[in-house]
Amino acid sequence: GASLLACVQKLSDDLTRPDECATEVEKGCVLVVTKCCEGLTSYVKDRSDAARLRVVAECADALNTIIGDVVREVSYLTNDQSETLETSLSSVVSTLEGEMFDVYLESVKRNVESCARLGLIDSTEGESRVKAEEVTPFPPYLAASFLSIVRCRAQVERALREATVRNAEGNGATYLFLALQTASDGIVENICLELKAKLTRIRPTKADSFASHLQFLINTLKKYLSDETLALASDTRRMLLSKAGAKRHGPEGLSGLENLERLGRVYVMCLNE
């Protein structure tokens, strides 16, 4: 981007009648940007999510600042005869940006799916009574889920910073918000679907525990959850409470949700809430 801008600025010094070369200048700018995007596509092939996010960051910088600078310089150079240049350049860069960010979000979905697994849910009532007397640990599947979200946050912040807006959304949403929304929706959706699939195998006391876990997830991630996911979570929680019935407030006691909030405080802090 900076090199293209410098090249256009040099042309303004070298050309004696730049207004007569407007079409060639515009085609040259589009060609340079296209070749740069092809090079970036080649660079990320078989590389990590971090590499794709770096490409997204380059594209975001171009869309937010560099393209505008180039267009202004070309307009000055050609006497405002390059009316379609901004659209052409933005289209090329936006295509690459969309492709790379979509691939990253798909990777986030796969990662959270592998983390949001309940594990073994069947145990005897006797085992439950023993566990009830012990200090309740923070559920491992919740810990793994939150760690995956924290990792996602760190990746995006490192590459794109917290406040970088994604222009393609048109609603002021930042890359960070969109990534965390994808991760949060994926976590809650996978947990809810597994709970529904295993509902018949879940004991009433355990159903009450899972209802508390789900409420904790809703409370912690509600900023990022879509309406559809919130509806799914609320419906799943109602099913769990119905299954719990008279066994509500089981092995985790009346303060189950408070214990979760205390034990999970470090994860909430890492999400910068």
Side-chain angles (χ1 to χ4, degrees):
S3 299
L4 176 58
L5 180 60
C7 181
V8 174
Q9 290 170 338
K10 188 175 186 303
L11 281 175
S12 65
D13 296 330
D14 296 343
L15 294 178
T16 56
R17 298 294 299 273
D19 53 317
E20 297 180 357
C21 307
T23 302
E24 288 73 16
V25 171
E26 182 171 341
K27 287 180 179 178
C29 289
V30 174
L31 179 62
V32 169
V33 171
T34 300
K35 291 298 182 182
C36 287
C37 288
E38 290 174 356
L40 289 171
T41 300
S42 177
Y43 165 76
V44 299
K45 187 178 181 180
D46 300 325
R47 290 181 183 264
S48 65
D49 287 339
R52 293 185 184 89
L53 283 177
R54 284 196 294 272
V55 171
V56 173
E58 290 288 340
C59 292
D61 190 37
L63 290 167
N64 291 332
T65 58
I66 295 175
I67 287 178
D69 293 339
V70 170
V71 169
R72 279 191 296 273
E73 197 66 34
V74 171
S75 294
Y76 172 76
L77 175 65
T78 62
N79 253 345
D80 297 323
Q81 294 187 45
S82 299
E83 297 178 357
T84 63
L85 180 58
E86 184 170 9
T87 300
S88 299
L89 295 180
S90 296
S91 176
V92 173
V93 176
S94 295
T95 298
L96 177 62
E97 181 270 349
E99 178 185 337
M100 291 295 109
F101 197 55
D102 286 347
V103 171
Y104 173 71
L105 293 182
E106 286 300 319
S107 176
V108 169
K109 291 178 183 178
R110 290 193 301 271
N111 289 336
V112 298
E113 183 178 358
S114 66
C115 295
R117 293 177 178 171
L118 303 179
L120 184 65
I121 63 172
D122 297 319
S123 59
T124 64
E125 291 290 338
E127 288 174 336
S128 298
R129 284 192 291 271
V130 171
K131 290 179 181 179
E133 297 171 0
E134 299 173 355
V135 177
T136 304
F138 193 72
Y141 79 96
L142 289 185
S145 296
F146 277 110
L147 284 173
S148 69
I149 298 176
V150 170
R151 179 174 178 270
C152 172
R153 182 187 188 96
Q155 284 181 326
V156 178
E157 280 190 333
R158 186 180 302 115
L160 287 145
R161 301 178 299 279
E162 182 176 357
T164 303
V165 173
R166 191 183 189 203
N167 289 336
E169 295 299 314
N171 58 6
T174 64
Y175 286 95
L176 180 60
F177 177 85
L178 294 169
L180 293 180
Q181 183 180 59
T182 299
S184 300
D185 276 348
I187 290 289
V188 175
E189 180 180 347
N190 280 289
I191 289 173
C192 287
L193 293 178
E194 187 173 358
L195 284 170
K196 285 189 171 187
K198 296 181 176 179
L199 187 63
T200 57
R201 294 161 49 195
I202 299 175
R203 293 178 291 100
T205 49
K206 195 64 176 176
D208 184 56
S209 298
F210 280 129
S212 295
H213 298 176
L214 204 49
Q215 186 62 56
F216 174 71
L217 280 171
I218 294 172
N219 293 348
T220 305
L221 302 176
K222 60 185 176 183
K223 175 181 177 181
Y224 303 109
L225 296 177
S226 64
D227 292 340
E228 294 81 2
T229 304
L230 278 171
L232 173 63
S234 298
D235 181 61
T236 305
R237 185 171 179 273
R238 282 193 296 269
M239 292 175 61
L240 289 167
L241 292 177
S242 177
K243 179 69 180 281
K247 296 286 188 178
R248 290 190 60 184
H249 310 305
E252 292 189 20
L254 294 174
S255 60
L257 188 56
E258 288 83 355
N259 284 338
L260 281 172
E261 292 173 347
R262 175 176 56 81
L263 293 167
R265 190 172 301 157
V266 64
Y267 301 104
V268 177
M269 291 173 61
C270 287
L271 285 172
N272 197 28
E273 294 298 325

